Amino acid sequence: MTHPLDLVPQLGHEQVVFCQDPAAGYHAIIAVHSTALGPATGGTRYWPYATTADALLDVLRLSRGMTYKNAAAGLALGGGKAVIIGDPRRQEGRADLFRAHGRFVDRLGGTFITGEDVGVSPADLEVSATMSRYIAGIDGMGGDPSPWTAKGVLRGIQACAVHRWGRADLTGRTMVLQGCGNVGGHLAQLLRAAGARLVVTDADPVRAARTASAVDGTNVLPDEIYDQPGDMFVPCALGAILNDTTIPRLRVEVVCGAANNQLQAPHHAEALASRGVLYAPDYIVNAGGVISGSIALLGETPEGMAARVHNIHDTLLTVLDLASRDGVTTAAAADRYAEARLREGRG
Ligand code: NAD
């Protein structure tokens, strides 16, 4: 198996920084994957990694993923990520820890701009922002990205409908939606307004029941969602849900949703294709959230930002057509598309 340190040159990271402030109980890694298109942006994750090697592996993969997502979205932003190693429930000394994080982010001088991710709240970032102006995703620096993510996913779903059925109209189509959280709950309403029928689930039964009732849909148990017959599966909960166990159970023609890292392993893109299921690459479809940050980060106008989210439809169609033309999976086509944008940006 490849050692995580060997991944740094393999994945092509520009800079990886190990940060320690023992007095603050702060141990973190910041990975700047690429600044070819602009400052590296990506969230800060606070997670109890078992080993530093696990943390390194995560930050290297996540930061590279941000490079691809931002490039494919046409943003003048690079890719980066930070991970803080520890128990995200820690309350004692939490402000010291996030002040330390702000100081280390600031040292990078704007090469890296960060926001929220798993385990980090807007209040945490407010504290980091007292030490650095390179902190986004707090009040006045972007706001809640979820409604924009949901809007972008709807545009992705419409592009899949065009590609698969020849028209964007979703009237009477059945959407099998997993996860009724910030994005999924909002998206369920947008899909209903577009005329679709919904079958929904959530690990939180109250949330699932509330969403089902709001959209006049059916509510099923979390594990039953993979067996539901329908037109599309719309994952908006966890990653790695497309795997050896779930793929054979799917009874839909298309998978298109917000969840990050939906494929458990790269070969699951082929597994879906060989069953005739059209897979919409997640980072193309769920870019509405990062695009919404472009107002604060890039001085984009609200109209320009909304147009860019709307354009996820065309970007996805381009990627799906590229996959058909080149005879590769849609996931591989998305990577080719993002890599071409990166080359153009560097050129
Ligand atoms: P959220 O935490 O608000 O919602 C996730 C929902 O999934 C919760 O209601 C949770 O109860 C449910 N869930 C968890 N495990 C489940 C399971 N096994 N079965 C069914 N439901 C389960 O998160 P969110 O902000 O709505 O994000 C959803 C997904 O979209 C995540 O994968 C996230 O990484 C991705 N994403 C979100 C954004 C954004 O703007 N929020 C942007 C890009 C990608």
Side-chain angles (χ1 to χ4, degrees):
M1 203 185 126
T2 313
H3 190 281
L5 280 175
D6 292 326
L7 281 177
V8 178
Q10 262 178 41
L11 299 180
H13 286 75
E14 289 179 16
Q15 191 176 12
V16 182
V17 188
F18 287 76
C19 315
Q20 324 283 343
D21 181 343
Y26 171 79
H27 304 276
I29 311 174
I30 299 175
V32 172
H33 177 256
S34 170
T35 57
L37 300 180
T41 55
T44 293
R45 180 168 290 196
Y46 189 3
W47 194 252
Y49 294 100
T51 65
T52 307
D54 287 351
L56 179 60
L57 197 60
D58 211 28
V59 78
L60 293 177
R61 287 192 176 146
L62 291 167
S63 54
R64 179 173 181 267
M66 287 308 300
T67 298
Y68 278 65
K69 183 187 281 204
N70 289 333
L75 298 172
L77 294 172
K81 199 89 185 177
V83 296
I84 300 174
I85 304 165
D87 182 353
R89 293 166 304 178
R90 168 179 164 188
Q91 289 309 320
E92 208 188 312
R94 195 173 180 97
D96 292 341
L97 183 137
F98 278 96
R99 261 192 295 275
H101 189 51
R103 277 198 305 276
F104 279 96
V105 169
D106 203 62
R107 276 192 194 177
L108 291 170
T111 306
F112 174 61
I113 301 174
T114 195
E116 287 156 49
D117 197 68
V118 179
V120 175
S121 71
D124 295 329
L125 290 183
E126 297 276 2
V127 175
S128 297
T130 61
M131 308 306 291
S132 176
R133 57 199 172 93
Y134 306 118
I135 307 286
I138 54 175
D139 272 357
M141 284 285 281
D144 180 8
S146 309
W148 290 105
T149 304
K151 283 193 180 108
V153 177
L154 177 69
R155 295 294 291 151
I157 285 173
Q158 289 167 334
C160 288
V162 169
H163 188 83
R164 179 52 66 110
W165 302 306
R167 58 203 197 104
D169 186 13
L170 301 176
T171 310
R173 295 278 176 205
T174 299
M175 302 289 158
V176 178
L177 185 142
Q178 180 184 47
C180 305
N182 290 323
V183 178
H186 203 81
L187 179 61
Q189 312 245 17
L190 296 177
L191 288 168
R192 179 71 191 139
R197 278 195 283 262
L198 280 122
V199 179
V200 306
T201 193
D202 197 285
D204 175 348
V206 176
R207 206 173 262 188
R210 200 192 303 138
T211 301
S213 128
V215 299
D216 206 11
T218 313
N219 172 7
V220 300
L221 290 171
D223 188 56
E224 293 171 353
I225 200 72
Y226 304 106
D227 308 313
Q228 300 304 311
D231 294 295
M232 289 197 199
F233 177 50
V234 185
C236 296
L238 310 168
I241 36 80
L242 300 171
N243 54 49
D244 291 345
T245 314
T246 59
I247 290 172
R249 290 168 62 185
L250 294 178
R251 296 169 69 192
V252 292
E253 289 186 49
V254 177
V255 175
C256 180
N260 274 314
N261 304 321
Q262 291 168 29
L263 300 169
Q264 189 177 56
H267 70 84
H268 292 116
E270 278 108 49
L272 285 163
S274 69
R275 297 179 75 86
V277 177
L278 178 68
Y279 167 65
D282 45 20
Y283 69 79
I284 304 286
V285 170
N286 69 19
V290 291
I291 293 173
S292 73
S294 64
I295 294 180
L297 293 174
L298 299 170
E300 176 71 278
T301 62
E303 297 75 25
M305 184 277 279
R308 224 180 254 283
V309 173
H310 199 73
N311 197 44
I312 286 176
H313 175 276
D314 292 5
T315 304
L316 182 58
L317 271 185
T318 303
V319 166
L320 298 179
D321 289 345
L322 193 67
S324 308
R325 192 197 69 191
D326 291 358
V328 296
T329 64
T330 54
D335 287 354
R336 287 185 184 187
Y337 179 82
E339 283 157 8
R341 305 293 300 235
L342 277 168
R343 278 195 301 274
E344 284 163 23
R346 278 201 187 98

